[in-house]
Amino acid sequence: NAGVMQNPRHLVRRRGQEARLRCSPMKGHSHVYWYRQLPEEGLKFMVYLQKENIIDESGMPKERFSAEFPKEGPSILRIQQVVRGDSAAYFCASSKPTSYEQYFGPGTRLTVT
Amino acid sequence: DQQVKQNSPSLSVQEGRISILNCDYTNSMFDYFLWYKKYPAEGPTFLISISSIKDKNEDGRFTVFLNKSAKHLSLHIVPSQPGDSAVYFCAASGTYSGAGSYQLTFGKGTKLSVIP
């Protein structure tokens, strides 16, 4: 399966813990985007990364959230000290360079208790 | 401020008939538009896209129309099938951010139900 992979699919964390979400892009894609979907809402852009570079983080909350896309391995979205409001579906998408068309993974559903 | 709006939360259509999903946008800097289909507990699936230099793009049963002057686009599905029942998201993009970012701005979605 050459699609976008995300894991875990479901993640439960208690308030104050850390959440790590992983994304492996499609084969041949070097650009990764992270989006968040709250209930009854559309997807909201968070961050855009290329290998070892954050290109656009204009949608990232200023505190507790960080993202990376290392030279080797998956992209990681990290949420420190999670709060109930972080409960959402987090989607990763990948694309080829200079392409508008993004292909999405199945998402990680984060629940903060 | 919602830059991409899908004003119909839901739509029901008989199998075999045409489904028309609408989308409006406010940012004149958007120059590329996409439609995604989403089933519950899955990620969005890319359907079809259109560049702002075109007014129509067709792919099988799916056609997207763009009216730039009205800042309006629509997705037509003909004929509609029960398997088309899903939430459809309109998304827009543009390289106006200056950072070369192709981030997508999504509408809230329209839930399509195709009745057999």
Side-chain angles (χ1 to χ4, degrees):
Chain A
N1 186 347
V4 179
M5 307 283 285
Q6 286 189 252
N7 67 80
R9 294 291 306 274
H10 300 275
L11 183 61
V12 179
R13 285 287 178 264
R14 291 183 177 164
R15 279 180 296 172
Q17 291 185 320
E18 178 180 290
R20 284 195 178 213
L21 289 64
R22 294 174 184 78
C23 169
S24 296
M26 279 180 72
K27 190 175 181 180
H29 287 189
S30 56
H31 294 198
V32 166
Y33 297 79
W34 285 93
Y35 293 84
R36 175 166 65 175
Q37 184 183 26
L38 296 171
E40 308 302 323
E41 296 285 326
L43 284 73
K44 298 273 196 248
F45 167 76
M46 299 181 75
V47 63
Y48 162 45
L49 310 101
Q50 299 174 17
K51 286 282 187 182
E52 301 185 282
N53 279 306
I54 298 174
I55 306 301
D56 180 0
E57 56 182 346
S58 58
M60 284 279 268
K62 294 287 183 277
E63 298 178 349
R64 302 186 298 108
F65 286 71
S66 62
E68 62 177 8
F69 189 14
K71 187 176 181 181
E72 300 292 336
S75 175
I76 295 175
L77 179 67
R78 182 181 177 205
I79 311 172
Q80 294 178 292
Q81 300 173 349
V82 296
V83 301
R84 288 226 173 107
D86 297 332
S87 295
Y90 291 82
F91 293 97
C92 167
S94 72
S95 73
K96 293 182 179 179
T98 69
S99 174
Y100 286 102
E101 293 170 8
Q102 297 176 22
Y103 294 84
F104 284 80
T108 294
R109 275 140 194 89
L110 173 65
T111 302
V112 179
T113 61
Chain B
D1 178 31
Q2 216 181 332
Q3 298 186 69
V4 177
K5 298 179 183 179
Q6 293 178 256
N7 291 321
S8 298
S10 63
L11 175 69
S12 290
V13 173
Q14 289 284 341
E15 181 179 3
R17 305 294 288 266
I18 183 172
S19 295
I20 301 176
L21 296 99
N22 293 303
C23 178
D24 297 295
Y25 63 96
T26 57
N27 190 335
S28 58
M29 299 297 285
F30 288 142
D31 58 10
Y32 204 83
F33 304 90
L34 307 90
W35 284 94
Y36 286 85
K37 172 182 179 180
K38 187 180 181 301
Y39 293 117
E42 294 185 11
T45 301
F46 170 72
L47 274 177
I48 192 169
S49 61
I50 188 167
S51 164
S52 60
I53 62 173
K54 296 186 176 181
D55 55 19
K56 177 183 174 181
N57 189 26
E58 192 171 353
D59 184 1
R61 296 186 299 116
F62 301 92
T63 303
V64 55
F65 295 92
L66 175 62
N67 182 335
K68 279 190 68 178
S69 60
K71 294 191 177 67
H72 177 84
L73 63 155
S74 60
L75 174 68
H76 293 210
I77 307 173
V78 182
S80 301
Q81 300 173 353
D84 295 330
S85 296
V87 177
Y88 288 77
F89 289 99
C90 170
S93 187
T95 54
Y96 52 88
S97 70
S101 173
Y102 295 86
Q103 61 168 278
L104 298 178
T105 301
F106 282 84
K108 291 190 176 183
T110 296
K111 184 176 182 180
L112 174 66
S113 299
V114 180
I115 304 162

